[in-house]
Amino acid sequence: MGAVAGVIIVIFIIRMLSGSIKVPPIALAFGAKLGIFIFTIAMVQATTPEVASAVLHMVVFVLIWVPIPLLQSIVVPLRMPRAAYWTVRICWPLGLTKEIEASAVVYGALALARTSPSEAAISWLERKLRNAEPIQGAGVVAAGLLAEPVVGLVVPEPIVAALTFFTPVGERDLLAHALDKLIDRALADPRRSGWRVQVVRVHAELEHGASWLMEATLKDPSATRERIAAPLKTQLERSPPAGAVERFVVEFTAFAPGTTELQLFARDAAAAARTGRRRALQSAAREIALRIRRPMLYHIIEVQPWSRLPERRYALIDFEP
Amino acid sequence: MVPTPRAAVRADRLRTLNVPELVAVELGADGRPAAVRRSAGQSVSDSTVEAILENWRIDDEWWRQPIARRYYEVMLNGGAHVVLFEDLAAGGWFVQKP
């Protein structure tokens, strides 16, 4: 009888390996676990005393039938991503059979998240994830856990004042005078209200297509023309433009909060913060489009908001940063 | 956000939102929805209708593809607020967000 059963099992395995019998992965996993369990129990009972045998029974039972609580409460908190990955692959939880490779990467990434992640560990998990096909469910979660978060840069909106000369100007006195006027104009911009200037950039378009640039960072942010202009005039004296200037542009690119009294009058502080966040969102969206190479961000737009059919009221459109 | 169709997309390409989903509805003695059964893949969820907030009928686009629907705005057990409608032209019950 045993020999007949053995022959039947061998034939079954051969047909399964050749593809003529399709066995669902979960059934295969269950069968393998049952076989290992029976074999291990037989070995334990044959060789060890009662107490140790009971403990080993418990360990074997947990590893084979309920490995997920073990993963969550012991393996993942150990903060060892490779150990977590291989524990899933070896223990082969029945609930994760469908996406076993991607699920193993998920647990590895969860273990990684509890420690300061190393590039080597992230690269190792990403290589394992590439073997997991198709990418769905656990694969998407794993890819999300491993991906570097995209953080948009909060860039303050610059304030620009520009002047185009009727005839190109080469005299430094005239350029210094124009600098003063442009700084006054930029300081008078309502968006500057409540803020002091920290970084100022001066850009000139010269004759014959050349250009000239200088930038100054103020040690003490200021909102007075003389203190902003002083370092710029010094640089203008030291390294003046190489030709006559056709267009002169002054740009305030970085700001610092004003004093308490000035901040009370910072009508645009909240608007400036919102604008900064909007620019950060746009830069993050651009970066996501570059990384993933297909649009994954959408706007919700109104199509027929008055329609009596709910599915015609709104639609999704690609988000264009 | 909806899954990408992996096709070339343009900024003017629209994707529908709030697409009606086919469901099985059990009617009460008064002919109004009493329970909803939704299936998503291999999972099935049953919900009972706790309250019917509003109902109305739409007959539209008779010049094109006629639309005849009877709508019910309902509250399900668990607090979900959905719109059920019966497609009187093609048959079948559907659910969507209000």
Side-chain angles (χ1 to χ4, degrees):
Chain A
M1 279 297 292
V4 171
V7 168
I8 291 172
I9 289 170
V10 168
I11 292 172
F12 179 83
I13 291 171
I14 291 171
R15 292 194 69 184
M16 192 178 67
L17 290 173
S18 67
S20 54
I21 296 178
K22 296 278 181 215
V23 179
I26 194 167
L28 200 62
F30 184 83
K33 281 172 177 277
L34 189 63
I36 294 168
F37 185 62
I38 292 170
F39 174 77
T40 311
I41 294 302
M43 289 294 105
V44 164
Q45 284 185 335
T47 57
T48 57
E50 280 183 15
V51 171
S53 171
V55 170
L56 281 171
H57 276 135
M58 187 88 68
V59 169
V60 168
F61 182 86
V62 167
L63 280 175
I64 291 181
W65 298 114
V66 286
I68 296 213
L70 171 77
L71 276 164
Q72 289 171 345
S73 53
I74 297 177
V75 179
V76 167
L78 282 176
R79 303 176 188 184
M80 294 162 63
R82 288 179 177 81
Y85 175 87
W86 285 114
T87 305
V88 174
R89 292 301 305 272
I90 292 168
C91 291
W92 207 355
L94 292 177
L96 306 179
T97 308
K98 215 171 166 188
E99 291 187 86
I100 189 66
E101 286 153 340
S103 303
V105 175
V106 169
Y107 277 97
L110 288 173
L112 197 67
R114 289 170 184 245
T115 180
S116 35
S118 70
E119 286 300 323
I122 293 174
S123 303
W124 186 84
L125 284 171
E126 281 176 341
R127 280 200 300 277
K128 293 299 176 192
L129 184 60
R130 269 183 231 130
N131 296 333
E133 285 291 344
I135 295 292
Q136 60 184 8
V140 173
V141 172
L145 284 170
L146 292 173
E148 195 184 330
V150 174
V151 178
L153 286 171
V154 180
V155 179
E157 197 172 349
I159 293 175
V160 179
L163 180 64
T164 304
F165 297 106
F166 289 114
T167 52
V169 168
E171 291 85 5
R172 286 180 216 177
D173 294 338
L174 281 175
L175 290 175
H177 183 69
L179 192 64
D180 287 335
K181 292 294 171 199
L182 289 173
I183 291 174
D184 279 335
R185 203 191 297 173
L187 285 171
D189 192 306
R191 288 173 295 156
R192 205 272 319 155
S193 172
W195 298 90
R196 293 174 293 158
V197 177
Q198 178 121 47
V199 177
V200 57
R201 186 185 298 160
V202 178
H203 172 249
E205 291 172 15
L206 309 179
E207 272 184 313
H208 313 302
S211 65
W212 176 83
L213 176 72
M214 70 172 169
E215 188 173 280
T217 303
L218 306 176
K219 283 182 198 163
D220 295 316
S222 173
T224 55
R225 188 233 301 161
E226 290 75 20
R227 295 184 68 174
I228 294 172
L232 296 171
K233 286 179 179 172
T234 308
Q235 284 192 47
L236 186 64
E237 284 296 316
R238 270 198 217 133
S239 49
V245 174
E246 292 181 338
R247 184 174 156 83
F248 214 38
V249 180
V250 165
E251 209 173 309
F252 295 159
T253 56
F255 303 88
T259 59
T260 312
E261 289 80 11
L262 284 174
Q263 279 288 291
L264 288 176
F265 297 104
R267 291 170 298 163
D268 291 323
R274 276 198 300 276
T275 305
R277 283 195 295 272
R278 204 175 307 130
R279 286 155 153 256
L281 175 63
Q282 286 170 351
S283 89
R286 268 193 291 271
E287 188 168 343
I288 288 173
L290 279 171
R291 278 199 204 183
I292 304 178
R293 292 201 181 94
R294 50 176 195 263
M296 299 290 280
L297 297 177
Y298 307 94
H299 277 304
I300 296 176
I301 60 165
E302 286 183 334
V303 179
Q304 293 179 1
W306 59 85
S307 173
R308 294 186 294 166
L309 305 176
E311 66 268 23
R312 293 194 185 173
R313 291 177 191 152
Y314 302 96
L316 291 178
I317 190 170
D318 296 339
F319 176 76
E320 290 277 322
Chain B
M1 205 162 76
V2 297
T4 176
R6 298 185 186 224
V9 289
R10 301 186 312 271
D12 56 347
R13 182 178 164 135
L14 298 179
R15 292 175 178 77
T16 46
L17 265 181
N18 204 6
V19 177
E21 180 192 333
L22 186 65
V23 292
V25 168
E26 191 182 303
L27 298 178
D30 55 358
R32 296 175 133 206
V36 180
R37 168 168 286 198
R38 292 162 106 152
S39 51
Q42 293 180 359
S43 66
V44 173
S45 68
D46 290 326
S47 309
T48 49
V49 173
E50 297 270 319
I52 296 178
L53 305 173
E54 205 180 338
N55 66 296
W56 65 97
R57 178 171 170 151
I58 289 178
D59 292 280
D60 207 349
E61 298 191 5
W62 50 267
W63 62 95
R64 207 159 42 188
Q65 196 163 358
I67 295 174
R69 297 179 183 177
R70 185 178 293 115
Y71 281 88
Y72 295 89
E73 188 174 337
V74 303
M75 194 73 79
L76 301 175
N77 66 321
H81 180 203
V82 298
V83 167
L84 296 172
F85 71 85
E86 183 186 8
D87 191 334
L88 300 168
W93 281 87
F94 297 84
V95 68
Q96 61 187 162
K97 293 192 181 67

